[in-house]
Amino acid sequence: AGAFTIGVQPASYGVRSRPASPSAFSLEESSTALHGRRRKGAKRRTFGKVKLNSDTTSGSAKDISESEVRALFSLWNNALATGDSRIVAKRYAKESILLPTVSDTPRTDFASIKDYFDAFLLKQPSGKILEGDIRIGDGWAQDAGVYEFTMKATGDVVKARYTYTYVFENNSWKIAHHHSSVMPEGIDIATPITEDEVRGLFHLWNDALATEDPDAVAKRYAKEGVLLPTVSDVPRTDYDSIKDYFVNFLQKKPQGVILESNVMIGTNWCQDAGIYEFDLLGDKVKARYSFIYKYEDGEWKIAHHHSSVMPEAQLAGGSSKSEEIQKPIEDDEVRALFQLWNGALATENPDTVAQRYSKTPCLLPTVSDTPRTDYDSIKSYFVDFLQKKPQGEILESYVTSGADWCMDDGIYEFKMGATGDKVKARYSFVYTLEGGEWKIVHHHSSQMPEEIVPKAMLEEAQKAATA
């Protein structure tokens, strides 16, 4: 895009979004500014004279060269290096606007700009410009292109697009407009799928069972798939272990049919949960199932598969009497297990949080596509998440308990102490007794589906908080 559009005057920030008058910014000058581009070796041109108020210019506007415009980025980048959000905010003009990479809220004053950088500076960002285009006018300058940030706190390297418009204010060049956005080709576009098509994915898996080839079945699972089988205590988290399970299971020549199904669809993932029934060499067996599918390499694959026996039939089968079976843990005690995890978050120590999970865990985080199935990967996730200083509260809870396990599903809300943001999400915790202590064996957290936005708000965009 050009320097600015008709009706927006970078140097006339005394009045916002004021229609340009002929004396301030003519249509001819607008066309020049929009379409003019310096050629290598060409003489510097200025675009579109703009009326400047006294606060903006403090006298006559200062001339500036392209190298000096580019150096203004270094002043801003050096301000980031101080780790002080006040110093960064002072790089912006009195009447400026910041459109950040990962916030929907335009920041239009010192306080709101400072607030954004309070959180962003926790990542210890350091930036460099990879490519840029510079335009220079009378009392204003623009630098637009692509920059890259290294987040020293995490080691992440993130690219984004940028536009800076500078004005000469009180004898200093300041940022009047800063727009930062994720690289659009890196945003995942949702692959459309209907509820019937989600249910149809079961038939691909069932057809693989019919081949009686464990390789064919294992290939229906994602590269980092997790299988929690019906009759094995061991989570299967890779191709070989999943194949191993089906070597034995396929000897029963299973063929399944779905009796009840509940489908949910998100951005490049979908879930089918309910009850299915298998014919095993003439025996009929019901079980509960959860399939979570992800779009991987152009195909829908099983990222998570949890199958469990019908608990009422199992418990009732242990006694010929109709006596009530005592639960090992009360519902309120199950809900209290969340407070142990939430208390671990409050320590801001990722080791403390990771220790709340079992030896064979599965964490499906809110803003990461990658299942975390061991201590190190779970700790790694919370290194970044804890920088937001989260504290959670359960809004709705539904508890189920078994002999040595319990489950809490519902909706929780987090307040991010670092930013003040409040975020709702759906959750599933499955706890198991391990060494006499209840630990999290499965934790699935997902965004509220009606609030889901394009993937710019997910993992890549979370990393691209480059302001």
Side-chain angles (χ1 to χ4, degrees):
F4 43 84
T5 58
I6 298 172
V8 179
Q9 303 176 51
S12 296
Y13 277 79
V15 179
R16 295 184 184 280
S17 301
R18 184 177 63 189
S21 66
S23 61
F25 189 45
S26 70
L27 289 173
E28 180 180 354
E29 289 165 336
S30 174
S31 176
T32 304
L34 286 168
H35 300 294
R37 182 183 180 91
R38 287 201 66 197
R39 298 179 178 84
K40 188 175 181 181
K43 183 179 179 181
R44 190 189 76 182
R45 294 191 298 165
T46 61
F47 303 108
K49 284 192 175 184
V50 181
K51 279 189 174 180
L52 306 172
N53 60 41
S54 59
D55 288 340
T56 302
T57 61
S58 290
S60 60
K62 176 181 171 62
D63 287 338
I64 189 169
S65 66
E66 288 197 4
S67 61
E68 288 171 331
V69 173
R70 182 55 46 80
L72 295 175
F73 171 80
S74 298
L75 294 179
W76 179 80
N77 197 41
N78 291 341
L80 296 183
T82 68
D84 188 335
S85 58
R86 294 169 300 177
I87 294 175
V88 181
K90 287 178 180 177
R91 291 303 313 152
Y92 291 77
K94 291 179 181 178
E95 298 192 37
S96 57
I97 183 166
L98 165 64
L99 303 177
T101 319
V102 294
S103 171
D104 291 346
T105 306
R107 312 298 174 116
T108 58
D109 56 26
F110 181 89
S112 61
I113 292 172
K114 176 185 177 298
D115 175 72
Y116 179 77
F117 286 105
D118 284 341
F120 181 56
L121 292 178
L122 294 173
K123 299 178 181 290
Q124 300 176 9
S126 178
K128 64 179 179 180
I129 289 177
L130 302 182
E131 55 182 286
D133 178 80
I134 291 173
R135 310 291 176 94
I136 299 172
D138 187 359
W140 64 268
Q142 178 181 277
D143 189 358
V146 177
Y147 49 15
E148 181 179 80
F149 286 85
T150 298
M151 309 300 179
K152 295 179 182 177
T154 62
D156 294 328
V157 178
V158 182
K159 286 183 182 179
R161 299 178 301 173
Y162 72 87
T163 298
Y164 293 97
T165 301
Y166 302 99
V167 295
F168 196 63
E169 179 179 278
N170 295 331
N171 293 316
S172 179
W173 287 97
K174 294 295 183 73
I175 303 167
H177 173 81
H178 181 190
H179 187 163
S180 186
S181 63
V182 296
M183 303 297 286
E185 294 179 12
I187 299 173
D188 287 346
I189 304 301
T191 301
I193 188 169
T194 67
E195 289 194 6
D196 287 341
E197 289 172 333
V198 173
R199 294 185 179 95
L201 296 175
F202 169 80
H203 297 295
L204 296 179
W205 178 78
N206 200 40
D207 291 345
L209 295 182
T211 68
E212 300 182 22
D213 180 355
D215 272 306
V217 182
K219 287 176 181 176
R220 291 302 315 150
Y221 291 78
K223 294 174 184 176
E224 299 188 39
V226 176
L227 166 64
L228 303 178
T230 319
V231 293
S232 172
D233 293 343
V234 180
R236 313 298 173 116
T237 60
D238 58 28
Y239 180 88
D240 291 335
S241 61
I242 292 172
K243 175 184 174 183
D244 174 71
Y245 176 76
F246 285 106
V247 167
N248 291 323
F249 184 62
L250 290 178
Q251 294 178 11
K252 301 180 181 183
K253 302 184 184 299
Q255 274 296 279
V257 58
I258 289 178
L259 303 181
E260 297 180 28
S261 169
N262 301 278
V263 170
M264 297 172 59
I265 299 173
T267 302
N268 287 342
W269 68 268
C270 54
Q271 175 181 286
D272 185 3
I275 297 173
Y276 48 18
E277 183 178 72
F278 284 89
D279 185 323
L280 306 174
L281 297 174
D283 292 333
K284 299 283 188 178
V285 179
K286 287 183 182 179
R288 299 177 301 175
Y289 71 87
S290 295
F291 287 101
I292 297 175
Y293 303 95
K294 65 179 290 189
Y295 200 67
E296 181 178 276
D297 298 331
E299 187 176 3
W300 289 98
K301 293 293 185 75
I302 303 168
H304 173 79
H305 179 193
H306 188 165
S307 185
S308 63
V309 296
M310 304 296 287
E312 294 178 14
Q314 182 186 35
L315 293 173
S319 173
S320 60
K321 300 179 181 180
S322 61
E323 60 189 11
E324 180 179 343
I325 298 172
Q326 188 67 34
K327 291 183 180 179
I329 184 171
E330 297 297 327
D331 287 359
D332 287 344
E333 293 175 303
V334 174
R335 293 185 179 97
L337 296 175
F338 170 81
Q339 300 303 331
L340 296 179
W341 178 78
N342 198 41
L345 295 183
T347 68
E348 299 180 20
N349 185 336
D351 275 301
T352 303
V353 181
Q355 287 167 8
R356 291 303 312 151
Y357 292 77
S358 74
K359 294 178 181 177
T360 54
C362 176
L363 166 63
L364 302 176
T366 318
V367 293
S368 170
D369 290 348
T370 306
R372 312 298 173 116
T373 58
D374 58 31
Y375 182 95
D376 290 337
S377 61
I378 289 174
K379 175 184 174 182
S380 172
Y381 176 76
F382 284 105
V383 166
D384 192 46
F385 182 62
L386 290 177
Q387 292 179 13
K388 301 176 185 291
K389 303 184 185 299
Q391 273 296 278
E393 175 187 10
I394 289 178
L395 303 181
E396 298 179 31
S397 170
Y398 305 89
V399 170
T400 307
S401 300
D404 60 352
W405 66 272
C406 55
M407 179 168 62
D408 186 4
D409 299 286
I411 296 173
Y412 50 20
E413 181 177 72
F414 286 88
K415 182 175 181 179
M416 306 303 179
T419 63
D421 293 334
K422 285 190 175 182
V423 181
K424 286 184 183 179
R426 298 174 302 173
Y427 71 87
S428 295
F429 287 100
V430 179
Y431 304 93
T432 185
L433 271 174
E434 184 176 278
E437 185 179 5
W438 289 100
K439 293 293 184 78
I440 303 167
V441 69
H442 175 78
H443 179 192
H444 185 166
S445 185
S446 66
Q447 296 180 82
M448 303 298 288
E450 295 178 12
E451 298 176 4
I452 290 177
V453 297
K455 193 83 179 273
M457 295 298 294
L458 299 181
E459 185 178 11
E460 184 66 17
Q462 290 285 337
K463 292 179 179 178
T466 55

